[in-house]
Amino acid sequence: MFQPLILMLGLRYAGARGRRSFASFVSCFSTIGILLGVAALILVSAVMNGFEQQLKDRLLGVIPHALVTNDQRRLADPGQYAPLFADQPRVKASAPFIQAEAMVQGPGHLTGVELYGVDFADFPADDPLLTGMNGQAREFFEYLPYGLVMGAGVARSLNVEPGDQVRVTVTEGSRFTPLGRVPSQRLFTLVGTFSTGTDVDNQLVLARLGDAAKLLRYGPEQATGLRLWLHDAFEVDRLAPLPEGLTLASWQQSRGELFQAVAMEKRLMSLMLALIILVAAFNILSSMVMVVTDKEAEIAMLQTLGLSRLRVMGVFMIQGGFSGVLGSLLGFGLGLVLCFNLDAVLGTLGINFYSAAGGNSLPVQLDRLQLVFILFSTLLLCVLASLYPAWRAAQVHPAEALRYE
């Protein structure tokens, strides 16, 4: 009895069951539709965010974020350009780097790979190549002449294990002889493997910087360029301009299409789930139109008792918004509960996505801004769906509505 009149009437109509129970039936299922739509949108967005972040951490942690080189892809002394990036806040670390395409031959198989010449002493401590190595591969790699570290997929395809020798052949350091052009080749000893959970494991082999330079017949202190690690690989376009004669080769040129495809899939999934919420909002609109039609006589009596048209409109805005707000809040809570307990729910249902996730659990990452946007956009949509029926209720003329009462 102490509630405001508009709120009391709106909630009374929202929970009422009149002669036309079909309108209440549609309104109830609209609330359930909004609940499921919001929960599914939060859950799918969180999982897609997790997969995108996992792909970013694993893949972009392995391949160079940016490579400072020249048109010939051969710098005389890449280390001299390191001070250019020392004061840039976006640059995490830098190191001389050699990159070339090569062929690796095992006991009975030959495969194409991407050869990286590296010096782990210049790598950041949290680099995935360091953390992904098995056993004492790094110690052997640093001290054993012509040691090689392979991606786990490359090692499996060649059927080799640590201690085996493989032949690495490159065309970049080839020589002309009386018998023709002979590619540069060398026997390397496999000292270990690494696993990142991405397709890089099937493409990449690592050699020491000096060994790779000898294989490619680089001059003293020469390298392909200076590798840059960024705090955020997506800010590579915001690096300071380079001096004349230098070029910047970024990860976007080789892997940009993959992340564009992931982003497009994420947007399409969000659009499909948003359509579910939109359909539920239209159901709220249709059920409210039926309620207004059914309540015309009551609306007319309220007006004759002194309730203004604006307040009548407020009554039905509250009635329609009640279903939307209830569904949105319940769906928001259900979505968060599912995100925090996703593995347990999937285990209960007997669903196993661990192999697809590349780990022990599905990656889930909640974005606060995204959650706020989902909640408030859903609430706004439900309010807008209630606007037309409420306006129509306010346009009821008491004389015409009570003519035959």
Side-chain angles (χ1 to χ4, degrees):
M1 61 182 294
F2 298 104
Q3 291 177 334
L5 178 62
I6 297 178
L7 179 62
M8 182 191 69
L9 291 175
L11 295 178
R12 182 186 180 94
Y13 282 154
R17 297 294 181 267
R19 291 171 296 173
R20 299 181 183 179
S21 59
F22 182 72
S24 300
F25 176 81
V26 173
S27 178
C28 178
F29 271 83
S30 301
T31 303
I32 296 175
I34 291 175
L35 184 154
L36 296 178
V38 171
L41 186 56
I42 291 175
L43 179 61
V44 171
S45 298
V47 173
M48 293 295 292
N49 289 339
F51 272 116
E52 187 177 28
Q53 186 63 38
Q54 189 179 74
L55 186 64
K56 178 181 175 181
D57 293 339
R58 292 186 176 183
L59 182 58
L60 296 185
V62 176
I63 66 174
H65 295 168
L67 186 65
V68 179
T69 183
N70 54 18
D71 294 336
Q72 294 77 32
R73 290 182 63 82
R74 186 173 294 197
L75 292 180
D77 184 12
Q80 66 179 318
Y81 302 107
L84 295 175
F85 307 96
D87 296 331
Q88 294 197 31
R90 295 183 178 87
V91 179
K92 183 178 181 181
S94 63
F97 190 69
I98 289 178
Q99 183 179 14
E101 294 182 353
M103 300 293 294
V104 179
Q105 183 178 5
H109 188 61
L110 183 72
T111 185
V113 297
E114 193 167 3
L115 174 66
Y116 283 1
V118 299
D119 186 354
F120 284 140
D122 298 324
F123 274 43
D126 58 348
D127 190 276
L129 286 179
L130 296 179
T131 58
M133 285 188 182
N134 61 343
Q136 296 179 326
R138 181 178 178 182
E139 287 76 8
F140 286 115
F141 180 79
E142 292 180 346
Y143 299 109
L144 182 67
Y146 293 100
L148 198 69
V149 176
M150 289 184 178
V154 179
R156 282 195 301 268
S157 66
L158 295 176
N159 194 22
V160 292
E161 297 178 352
D164 295 341
Q165 286 191 324
V166 295
R167 184 174 297 276
V168 180
T169 304
V170 294
T171 59
E172 186 175 339
S174 60
R175 294 181 299 176
F176 289 96
T177 68
L179 299 178
R181 187 174 181 176
V182 178
S184 179
Q185 54 183 314
R186 182 87 188 196
L187 284 176
F188 282 76
T189 302
L190 179 62
V191 298
T193 61
F194 64 87
S195 177
T196 62
T198 65
D199 61 338
V200 172
D201 297 339
N202 302 318
Q203 303 170 0
L204 189 62
V205 297
L206 306 175
R208 287 193 300 181
L209 189 66
D211 296 340
K214 293 178 182 178
L215 178 66
L216 294 164
R217 294 188 172 89
Y218 280 16
E221 303 297 329
Q222 276 191 337
T224 303
L226 186 70
R227 177 180 178 177
L228 302 180
W229 285 265
L230 306 181
H231 292 286
D232 186 353
F234 287 90
E235 293 187 346
V236 66
D237 295 330
R238 303 178 66 180
L239 291 175
L242 297 177
E244 186 176 355
L246 296 180
T247 59
L248 186 72
S250 70
W251 64 269
Q252 295 174 339
Q253 299 172 2
S254 59
R255 304 285 179 170
E257 294 182 355
L258 175 61
F259 283 89
Q260 290 175 3
V262 172
M264 178 63 70
E265 182 179 4
K266 180 180 174 181
R267 286 193 291 267
L268 290 177
M269 289 292 293
S270 299
L271 178 61
M272 292 171 59
L273 294 172
L275 291 177
I276 297 176
I277 301 176
L278 185 62
V279 170
F282 275 112
N283 287 337
I284 291 178
L285 188 150
S286 60
S287 65
M288 281 197 60
V289 169
M290 288 187 288
V291 169
V292 170
T293 304
D294 187 46
K295 303 288 186 181
E296 282 189 355
E298 296 182 20
I299 295 171
M301 286 187 286
L302 289 173
Q303 289 179 335
T304 57
L305 292 174
L307 199 65
S308 65
R309 290 189 175 186
L310 185 60
R311 301 183 74 183
V312 170
M313 189 173 179
V315 168
F316 286 92
M317 287 287 292
I318 292 174
Q319 179 196 355
F322 176 79
S323 298
V325 170
L326 182 62
S328 299
L329 295 179
L330 291 179
F332 187 82
L334 178 61
L336 293 181
V337 170
L338 290 176
C339 288
F340 290 126
N341 302 276
L342 183 57
D343 294 320
V345 173
L346 293 178
T348 304
L349 297 176
I351 301 175
N352 186 0
F353 284 130
Y354 293 173
S355 59
N360 296 323
S361 62
L362 278 175
V364 175
Q365 182 179 7
L366 293 172
D367 187 339
R368 293 183 180 179
L369 292 178
Q370 194 174 54
L371 292 176
V372 171
F373 176 77
I374 291 174
L375 179 60
F376 280 93
S377 60
T378 305
L379 293 175
L380 179 62
L381 182 63
C382 295
V383 171
L384 292 178
S386 306
L387 191 59
Y388 170 72
W391 175 82
R392 183 173 172 179
Q395 301 305 310
V396 172
H397 294 285
E400 294 181 2
L402 299 175
R403 178 181 300 176
Y404 302 105
E405 294 294 330

